[in-house]
Amino acid sequence: MPLGPRQRPKLYIAALKLLQFAIGIETVRVDSEEKRALQEAMLLHLQDEHVLATLCAVMLALCEGRTGLPISGVFGAVKTRSAAILLAGLLVFDPELKLMVLTKENVASHAVAEH
């Protein structure tokens, strides 16, 4: 589903803020409880670089004009956790965003919601 003309810039700005947050994760000033929780989650999972790679893929997709981003990989590749952190981060930087997750199996959708 394509984004409306006013939604696209909001998603791009939230993703850019999240990328800046992730890049400076160890030195960024945290001014809310939501950002503190996001920082802890990202610090825990940034060492495997999957979260950062997923975030970079989102930025590239947005720059190319795409609004959907398939995430695939082998079992245990941290896909679900990366997606959950990404979604949470986008909502931290813009709580008014409307995001949708489609999964092949119910187990994956429950896992995203759990994380």
Side-chain angles (χ1 to χ4, degrees):
M1 167 183 261
L3 290 173
R6 293 186 311 194
Q7 295 169 322
R8 185 174 194 63
K10 292 179 68 170
L11 179 58
Y12 182 80
I13 290 168
L16 185 59
K17 287 179 181 179
L18 181 56
L19 181 58
Q20 291 170 333
F21 184 83
I23 290 171
I25 194 76
E26 293 178 351
T27 59
V28 70
R29 277 189 24 192
V30 177
D31 57 2
S32 71
E33 191 59 37
E34 292 84 6
K35 286 183 183 175
R36 185 173 321 287
L38 178 62
Q39 184 181 42
E40 288 175 14
M42 291 183 95
L43 280 170
L44 186 62
H45 299 291
L46 275 177
Q47 69 270 12
D48 61 19
E49 299 176 0
H50 287 92
V51 173
L52 193 55
T54 303
L55 183 51
C56 289
V58 167
M59 289 301 300
L60 180 60
L62 289 170
C63 288
E64 291 176 345
R66 295 183 287 137
T67 56
L69 179 69
I71 299 174
S72 64
V74 298
F75 180 78
V78 197
K79 301 176 297 291
T80 303
R81 208 169 285 140
S82 296
I85 290 171
L86 172 71
L87 293 169
L90 289 171
L91 291 172
V92 163
F93 288 102
D94 189 347
E96 295 180 11
L97 283 175
K98 305 290 186 232
L99 304 169
M100 179 171 52
V101 176
L102 300 173
T103 63
K104 182 179 173 186
E105 299 175 16
N106 287 339
V107 172
S109 63
H110 289 291
V112 170
E114 183 181 310
H115 287 294

